[in-house]
Amino acid sequence: FTLGNLLDIWGISLTPANFGPLQGTVGIYATPQTYWLCPSGPCYRPSNQYQAVDPSQWTSYQLYLHSVVWIVIGAQPDQPSSLPNIEWITGGGN
């Protein structure tokens, strides 16, 4: 699936100036486009892995298992690494 597929399902528009009904400068930041496989246990995505996604690629951006996507409306972060780290438990019912 792509980010565009997900937004179509939700019925949300996305442009450089709006995310659905929210108005303002839009930026998308994500972990690199690779298949993330985490062992059964904690899965951690440090913020220093986030990269800005080019607006021309927003709707075609591939969504992968355990990838992280941030959609920021308004003031953009000085560095993508200032966005929060993500950690979750996966697999084996943990």
Side-chain angles (χ1 to χ4, degrees):
F1 288 96
T2 67
L3 182 57
N5 297 138
L6 182 64
L7 295 176
D8 285 346
I9 290 168
W10 288 347
I12 295 176
S13 63
L14 175 65
T15 72
N18 80 288
F19 176 67
L22 303 175
Q23 301 292 314
T25 303
V26 176
I28 296 182
Y29 304 88
T31 49
Q33 282 193 323
T34 55
Y35 181 80
W36 292 100
L37 182 63
C38 296
S40 61
C43 187
Y44 181 69
R45 293 292 162 255
S47 61
N48 66 1
Q49 291 183 343
Y50 302 147
Q51 301 171 357
V53 178
D54 186 289
S56 68
Q57 298 174 347
W58 285 355
T59 57
S60 62
Y61 190 83
Q62 292 289 317
L63 300 176
Y64 293 95
L65 181 66
H66 297 139
S67 60
V68 175
V69 176
W70 290 98
I71 300 174
V72 178
I73 298 98
Q76 300 299 300
D78 292 331
Q79 298 290 325
S81 62
S82 65
L83 294 166
N85 297 324
I86 300 293
E87 183 172 11
W88 64 92
I89 304 297
T90 185
N94 292 334

